[in-house]
Amino acid sequence: MTPLLPPPAVRTARRRDRRVYTRARPLLFALLALTRTRPVLRCGRSVLVQDESAYREALLHVPLDRSAPGTTGGAVRRLTDGGSLFDQADGEHRAARRAVAPLLGTAGVERVRPVWRRTLTEALAPLAAHGTVDLVDLARLLSGVTVCALLDSPADPRAVAEAAARAAAAAVREHLPGPRLPHTGRRAAAAAARLEGLLDPDRSGPDTALRAMLAVAAVNTTVAALPRAAAWCADAGLWEQAADDRLRPALVTELLRVTAASPLLPRAVAADTVLAGHALRAGDRLVLVARHAARAHSDPPDALHPAPPVRSRLVFGAGPHACPGAGLARAQLDDVLRLLAAHRPRVVAARVDRRAALPSWRTLTVRSGVRPTATEAA
């Protein structure tokens, strides 16, 4: 039986969203697209892991070197003095997670939620007057405001967001295939130092590196995910679901699954082992493709028919090293969609960011899709 094609609106939404991959990393996206039917594929000393079960097994059961070159933790260690969740293991990692739990847990999120809601209300006001809003600029400001509120930092939110984006963009070149630009490492370290200085001017705190890397993660995932999620709603006709208080939580989870803000997780094997029947050697580089494991490439977001939770959560990792900011991401996107849904915005302009650390728009401009009343038109 021939499978049903997705409706035109879904195809339009998917085509637009693919542009953040095809225009920023065309060769890498082509490689992943061509090999996505292979659950595990060795390419020299690199191993692509794209199947849902193999991806989960790699995170839960394969011994990983958290600070190896070419991994997220390794990049973090090159930028800072280490000790920032991404490059830690065992007891050290558990202690760090306990330290951030008050910030990223339910109580921490609810403490700062009024702050970002004020920012959202002010930034989206032009839509009511049928003006335009750049959702990338909004996401950048929102992420900076949220980070500063979480960390009780008096720094300028836009400066924090800019420094975090620069640090990530430079660091990501450490573990992506392709030529390295001159002085990449030096620029990444300088950006990280600037970020640390913004958040802790006296450099007196014992967790300066941890705070900086939390800012890097929060800013870059927010700027990557929120505009893309809104574009999906606009193009695929999901604003009715976004406006429904009962459906919106499921839609939020679906959109985070489909946008997969961190689509690749670079890791390194610490000891010889076996993954899905494939032998792995110590030192092998794993490229865990969250986008494919969560079926973001094939299953569109739908709050009425959501993916199983065990699959949708994969974009945040799995096991003890899963992203501790998942609750914050869901709460923030929920508020964004709730406020946007009242305007039913449509995308009027979009441009891909070719330099961002994560697949992102450089600008994504929207205008209200609600027709003005006769009084407003006059």
Side-chain angles (χ1 to χ4, degrees):
M1 181 177 179
T2 303
L4 295 176
L5 291 174
V10 170
R11 294 200 296 272
T12 297
R14 183 173 284 149
R15 276 198 303 271
R16 186 194 299 278
D17 196 59
R18 279 178 178 162
R19 284 166 54 192
V20 299
Y21 298 97
T22 59
R23 297 196 179 183
R25 304 277 189 268
L27 296 179
L28 178 59
F29 182 80
L31 171 64
L32 296 178
L34 288 171
T35 60
R36 65 188 176 208
T37 58
R38 303 284 296 274
V40 179
L41 176 65
R42 177 177 287 280
C43 302
R45 292 303 303 270
S46 295
V47 180
L48 295 177
V49 181
Q50 310 196 69
D51 173 74
E52 179 181 347
S53 60
Y55 176 97
R56 189 180 297 108
E57 181 183 349
L59 288 173
L60 295 177
H61 303 300
V62 170
L64 299 176
D65 182 346
R66 299 285 171 183
S67 59
T71 67
T72 303
V76 167
R77 185 153 288 196
R78 290 188 57 154
L79 293 178
T80 68
D81 294 329
S84 58
L85 277 178
F86 303 99
D87 61 342
Q88 295 171 325
D90 303 327
E92 188 182 23
H93 181 263
R94 287 192 294 272
R97 286 188 75 101
R98 284 195 297 270
V100 302
L103 299 177
L104 300 176
T106 301
V109 170
E110 291 306 314
R111 178 178 68 86
V112 302
R113 201 167 194 171
V115 178
W116 82 55
R117 281 179 168 173
R118 285 195 297 271
T119 299
L120 278 173
T121 300
E122 294 170 2
L124 294 176
L127 294 179
H130 304 284
T132 60
V133 172
D134 178 5
L135 294 184
V136 175
D137 184 68
L138 167 61
R140 194 177 294 118
L141 173 61
L142 187 67
S143 63
V145 166
T146 301
V147 165
C148 290
L150 280 172
L151 301 179
D152 294 318
S153 171
D156 176 64
R158 285 193 180 275
V160 167
E162 179 185 358
R166 287 180 179 273
V172 77
R173 296 188 182 98
E174 295 291 318
H175 54 250
L176 278 181
R180 304 289 192 268
L181 295 177
H183 311 301
T184 294
R186 187 186 309 165
R187 290 171 181 168
R194 170 168 166 71
L195 177 60
E196 291 181 358
L198 286 169
L199 295 173
D200 185 8
D202 298 329
R203 307 292 179 94
S204 57
D207 55 354
T208 299
L210 176 59
R211 288 161 61 89
M213 288 305 106
L214 285 177
V216 168
V219 167
N220 288 278
T221 54
T222 299
V223 173
L226 292 190
R228 289 176 58 198
W232 261 102
C233 288
D235 292 337
L238 299 175
W239 289 127
E240 291 296 332
Q241 293 187 8
D244 190 322
D245 291 342
R246 296 167 300 176
L247 291 178
R248 191 170 55 253
L251 179 62
V252 164
T253 299
E254 280 288 276
L255 288 167
L256 290 172
R257 175 183 66 82
V258 169
T259 55
S262 297
L264 302 179
L265 304 183
R267 299 291 186 264
V269 180
D272 292 355
T273 187
V274 176
L275 172 64
H278 295 257
L280 301 181
R281 302 190 298 272
D284 280 347
R285 183 185 184 192
L286 294 182
V287 180
L288 309 179
V289 187
R291 170 178 163 82
H292 292 166
R295 301 188 191 177
H297 64 292
S298 60
D299 299 351
D302 185 354
L304 296 173
H305 305 92
V310 68
R311 180 183 304 151
S312 60
R313 286 195 295 264
L314 290 179
V315 294
F316 294 106
H321 286 265
C323 175
L328 173 64
R330 293 189 184 97
Q332 205 158 65
L333 182 55
D334 189 284
D335 283 344
V336 170
L337 295 183
R338 177 177 56 83
L339 292 175
L340 283 175
H343 303 284
R344 306 297 198 270
R346 55 189 175 83
V347 179
V348 296
R351 187 156 55 107
V352 172
D353 192 337
R354 300 173 188 269
R355 297 182 178 181
L358 302 175
S360 308
W361 295 106
R362 185 173 182 82
T363 60
L364 189 112
T365 306
V366 299
R367 186 189 300 276
S368 176
V370 178
R371 292 186 177 182
T373 64
T375 302
E376 291 171 328

